[in-house]
Amino acid sequence: MLHIPNEDARFIRETCGPEIIDVLEEQAAEHAWTDLYLHRPEWTAQGRSYTDAVLLAVEVAPPAQQIILKIVPAGAAGREPAAAAAAAEAVETFTDLHLVKQPFDPVPLPDGRTLMFQKVAGDSLRSTTTVGGLDGQHRARVVEHLIRGLLSCWNAEVLKLAVPEPVKVSAFLREELNGVWQGDGSLQAWGRSLGVLDPAPPWLYSDGMRLPNPYLMVKGGPALPDPELRVLRGLGHGDLHLDNILVPQMEGTVQAEAYRLIDLCTFSARADLGGDAATVLLSALIPFVEHELPPDQRHALLRFIVAPHATHGAYIVPRAKTLVQAVTVTAQREMSHWRDSWDAQFLLSLMARALMFTTYTGIGVAGRGWLVRLAAHAGGELLARTARRQGGQAWPPPLEPGRDSFTTTQFSAVGVAGSRGSAGFVPDQEPQRRRWETDSGVRDERAVLGFGPDHTVVLVDGQGRVRRWSVGGDSLPGAEGRPARIRVGHQALVSSLTHSLVTAWPKELEILRFPQDAGVFRSDPVHFDGGENFLVTSGGDVFATHDRKSLTVRSFEDGSVVERVPCPASLAASAVSLDASVIALARSQEVFIHRRGRPTLQRSMANSMLYFRTGLLRKFSSLVGPGCQLAVSPSGSHVGCVTFEEVLVWSTEDGREVYRRKLTDREAREALGGEGMRLLCTETGTLFCLKRGRLSCPTIDGGIQLRQSGRYVDVATSRDGRLMAMLGSEGRLEVWDL
């Protein structure tokens, strides 16, 4: 007769169900136990439970021994006893050191659950903890030993006889994600909530990079490459997060090499050999990414994982960097005989496991958004490597503006309790995080914004008064203006290389310089010869003016002439790149793109006012030559144009048209009139348009307006495209991360 203390028996019935007592009595008769009692002090397994299993630590006698009772729920988890037994039989030496054995056969329960008996990992409950409960330094040591053991010990014999299996990327991903992808699973539901699945755009933009849509890579199809890789399979845990790894401590010292693996219900003898390493890495990084990271840190960590470079290290939290290296560098050493193919397989494993992790609701929206980014970065790096290896097209493919780049601009994901919050995976083309704001004290419709060198923000009002700040908000020396007003709006330009700016007065230019050890130095005025001159309100390394006959590129040093380009008749708009290597000049229905050292491109566009397109006024449309807006990206890679009728973007590399759409009637009506209009172009060819105080993205159907508070007077982007400054009509100056 088995003796169980009344208090212990009551706890077991309440926790596990009354039938467990009957089963334990049957086991006692079989194994000659006379006593069973809960381990005191009461023990509770540390870490999170992913399977809803119930764990109880008990002591039985005779002979006196500690064992773990584990009641495994029905369903997929119910295969754990058989899977654990198979894992234990695979490699005896690894099992003795690193797996938890089953001293007695499992017992199926009437309700479909299973009662398992396990030995205590590390021989002691009190001195054993999960790796997730360790600090960063000890955690990295255990992870390094673990990765080495998985590849060089557990799979040593497997690798001696392994033959790589050819598999398409999409087929591999679907197999790995089977349960959460098939049948409209939770992975697909999350993808739809992000707005990147059904329909699935092939390309997403992140941190200035063009990346493949990872959901579309799982789905397969002609929109993205689907290369064939050779992958190695072997013994794998299948769910090796940090709370499924136990490690003993001796006299307060972590015994890193004595780790034990638990919860082997997902064990497979044909597992993706990179899957366990990827799971360990992601579970170790979740604490660092479950809250939104600053863009530079986020980007550096993502790239350090998929394509590490020494320059990334300065932006990464040291503990996170150490954990990444504990997995990736250790695995590369152990797989040195298979290095290049291993790197490709590990990227594929990262994609699968990152997408799998997005189905874990406990991670949170920000963390899940980071995981989608990681899957996209891993997919992009994988396609880049296979494209180079297979001699395919140049990689990465050319950046394309327009619909794809904005497919995810507005997306957000459903968070806790139905609230909506940023999922963290959006293109750089939308302001994401306000870095700093202040009351500039300037309430002037003619005020102009610009970014100077060394992360400075410069504001010039309509009388030429200059105010300057660091991006962090510190005030810098400025300058007083003049009684007269500068000639028209946006007639000032800030240098991106030196602490200088130029303002345009009715008959002259004035260049102001701000030395580090002084206030302001005003150069001699630059007088215009002949007729009326205008400042071209783009550039940065140099500036330009035009008199409708020629465009003159000038130095910020003294306004001296660097280059002259003839203007077409009836000039309507002009724009230059930072260094003026690309100059765009437009008249009503033609754009001329001058490329330094290469032939000039000539492109046509539709441009007529809404009321002249139909009805009685249509016959007069050819007599009316409306203007347009032009913008050149900082490096000169793209030229954008917005007319009264359409939006166009051209690539200056080969002159191809990369985006074109007709304006809606609403947009066409809004284009009539309005001062202070500004068009900006990013390196991806995405356009920003400031019109009537509202900032919009013309390179999307309907010209969607960005979120903003109040009315803007001017906007500017930094030289590297990472920051945007906005000046509100009430004087509020804001700087945002893009």
Side-chain angles (χ1 to χ4, degrees), residues 450-525:
F451 279 95
D454 303 326
H455 297 96
T456 54
V457 185
V458 182
L459 174 59
V460 185
D461 69 13
Q463 292 184 322
R465 184 175 61 139
V466 182
R467 298 199 62 185
R468 301 165 63 235
W469 298 266
S470 71
V471 169
D474 297 325
S475 294
L476 300 173
E480 293 301 317
R482 297 182 179 182
R485 294 177 65 81
I486 54 178
R487 50 177 304 151
V488 293
H490 294 304
Q491 288 302 303
L493 185 65
V494 178
S495 170
S496 57
L497 291 181
T498 62
H499 293 285
S500 309
L501 61 91
V502 59
T503 56
W505 301 93
K507 295 183 179 181
E508 64 185 27
L509 295 175
E510 183 178 41
I511 300 174
L512 283 71
R513 291 195 292 275
F514 297 88
Q516 296 287 352
D517 56 352
V520 60
F521 174 78
R522 297 177 185 268
S523 68
D524 294 334

Side-chain angles (χ1 to χ4, degrees), residues 557-568:
E557 181 65 26
D558 55 9
S560 58
V561 176
V562 176
E563 180 182 5
R564 276 196 173 94
V565 175
C567 293

Side-chain angles (χ1 to χ4, degrees), residues 274 277-278 281 305 327-328 341-351:
L281 175 58
I305 295 170
V327 174
T328 58
S341 294
W342 165 260
D343 287 347
Q345 180 171 346
F346 188 64
L347 289 170
L348 199 53
S349 303
L350 277 174
M351 282 193 70

Side-chain angles (χ1 to χ4, degrees), residues 71-269:
I71 296 87
V72 182
R79 65 181 295 271
E80 180 176 355
E89 294 171 1
V91 180
E92 186 175 346
T93 53
F94 187 84
T95 299
D96 291 341
L97 292 172
H98 302 299
L99 297 186
V100 176
K101 294 184 178 180
Q102 300 180 71
F104 310 110
D105 293 335
V107 179
L109 301 176
D111 58 3
R113 295 181 299 165
T114 303
L115 173 62
M116 290 180 63
F117 303 91
Q118 296 180 340
K119 285 190 173 182
V120 173
D123 300 325
S124 172
L125 298 170
R126 294 173 60 87
S127 62
T128 301
T129 185
T130 65
V131 176
L134 298 175
D135 61 30
Q137 179 182 0
H138 291 115
R139 185 179 296 184
R141 284 183 54 229
V142 177
V143 167
E144 187 174 339
H145 281 283
L146 170 68
I147 298 301
R148 188 178 299 118
L150 293 176
L151 297 174
S152 294
C153 182
W154 205 18
N155 280 284
E157 294 301 317
V158 172
L159 288 173
K160 287 180 181 178
L161 304 174
V163 177
E165 296 182 7
V167 62
K168 289 281 190 180
V169 166
S170 61
F172 177 94
L173 293 172
R174 287 195 298 272
E175 180 180 354
E176 291 297 306
L177 297 167
N178 182 35
V180 294
W181 177 263
Q182 298 297 336
D184 198 29
S186 55
L187 177 60
Q188 295 200 46
W190 174 248
R192 276 191 293 274
S193 75
L194 300 181
V196 296
L197 184 62
D198 298 332
W203 300 105
L204 304 172
Y205 286 79
S206 171
D207 303 303
M209 299 186 68
R210 185 172 187 253
L211 303 171
N213 184 339
Y215 293 90
L216 194 59
M217 291 185 70
V218 180
K219 197 173 185 179
L224 287 173
D226 191 7
E228 183 177 87
L229 301 180
R230 292 188 173 274
V231 301
L232 289 173
R233 298 190 181 275
L235 306 177
H237 182 287
D239 189 26
L240 200 53
H241 55 77
L242 297 189
D243 291 321
N244 275 343
I245 310 165
L246 302 181
V247 62
Q249 301 182 68
M250 183 176 295
E251 297 180 354
T253 302
V254 174
Q255 307 298 302
E257 70 285 354
Y259 59 86
R260 299 274 180 148
L261 312 185
I262 61 173
D263 289 352
L264 285 146
C265 63
T266 51
F267 167 80
S268 172

Side-chain angles (χ1 to χ4, degrees), residues 686-720:
T686 299
L687 300 181
F688 288 117
C689 184
L690 179 64
K691 187 189 310 176
R692 299 180 184 274
R694 300 294 298 176
L695 185 63
S696 65
C697 296
T699 36
I700 186 175
D701 289 348
I704 194 163
Q705 291 185 343
L706 300 183
R707 299 185 300 267
Q708 69 182 69
S709 174
R711 181 177 176 275
Y712 291 150
V713 171
D714 195 20
V715 297
T717 54
S718 61
R719 180 187 179 91
D720 60 7

